[in-house]
Amino acid sequence: MDSHGQYEQQVVWTVVGTDIGPLLLAATHEGLVNVVFHATDAVRDKALERLGSRLGREPVEAPGSPLLAEAIRQVKAYFAGERHDFDLPLDWSLISGFNRQVLRELAAGVPYGSVVGYGDLAGRVGQPGAAQAVGTAMGANPLPVVVPCHRVVESDGGIGGFGGGLETKRKLLALEGVLPEPLF
């Protein structure tokens, strides 16, 4: 950060290669604000445009930013199997209300290597019967992987949906030992 608080006024981003493809990581001075799957050029550009519009600041590519350093380190350690929990400051400004409540409960209450049903998660936030709304909250999660929406599954044992694609969800659950590794 420069003497004028340069990073505090910015949204900074970088792309990190992972076993599930490139992830875009974006942060503000408050914390990690966005994780985007499959961050190829076209996906990245669209995500950055949307992020800039929502936050009122144009994101700046800054892979060396101190705001991103710890997030990069922890994401790499997670995919290397060396980290089971993320301990990062999070900027929740892209989500509010019920969705934020559900995602905070998910982040705090569903540990690595376990899963929870949509309905069970709804019950944990005092809204039994809101399983479909929990599904909507998972789809709106601006911080996938770090806020582990891949750990939310159907109560009948089905894998459920996933914004990053079902193959990505399967790989994340396999990484955590919940599912067997895909054969191919």
Side-chain angles (χ1 to χ4, degrees):
M1 180 178 347
D2 68 16
S3 62
H4 301 290
Q6 175 189 1
Y7 290 127
E8 287 188 19
Q9 304 306 317
Q10 292 181 331
V11 178
V12 294
W13 67 272
T14 193
V15 173
V16 176
T18 72
D19 293 346
I20 58 168
L23 289 179
L24 181 143
L25 304 179
T28 67
H29 72 280
E30 291 197 23
L32 191 65
V33 70
N34 205 195
V35 176
V36 178
F37 290 115
H38 315 299
T40 58
D41 291 349
V43 169
R44 180 200 66 212
D45 292 348
K46 184 176 180 182
L48 291 171
E49 182 179 318
R50 186 175 62 246
L51 187 60
S53 173
R54 300 244 352 243
L55 295 177
R57 299 183 298 261
E58 185 171 338
V60 175
E61 185 174 15
S65 166
L67 298 175
L68 289 168
E70 186 61 16
I72 293 166
R73 190 184 73 69
Q74 289 189 29
V75 165
K76 287 181 177 181
Y78 171 81
F79 282 101
E82 299 163 357
R83 174 173 274 285
H84 293 175
D85 301 305
F86 290 95
D87 184 20
L88 296 167
L90 301 177
D91 179 339
W92 293 94
S93 63
L94 295 178
I95 198 144
S96 61
F98 177 79
N99 290 357
R100 183 186 291 190
Q101 182 183 12
V102 168
L103 291 171
R104 282 182 181 261
E105 173 59 31
L106 173 64
V110 183
Y112 182 96
S114 65
V115 294
V116 66
Y118 293 95
D120 292 335
L121 191 53
R124 288 186 187 192
V125 296
Q127 297 292 324
Q132 192 170 18
V134 167
T136 300
M138 295 306 104
N141 182 3
L143 296 160
V145 180
V146 175
V147 177
C149 52
H150 59 278
R151 296 180 189 155
V152 183
V153 297
E154 295 173 347
S155 59
D156 66 2
I159 195 168
F162 195 61
L166 292 182
E167 188 57 32
T168 299
K169 186 171 186 173
R170 284 186 191 97
K171 287 180 179 179
L172 289 167
L173 292 172
L175 173 69
E176 295 188 9
V178 175
L179 291 177
E181 290 288 338
L183 295 175
F184 48 88

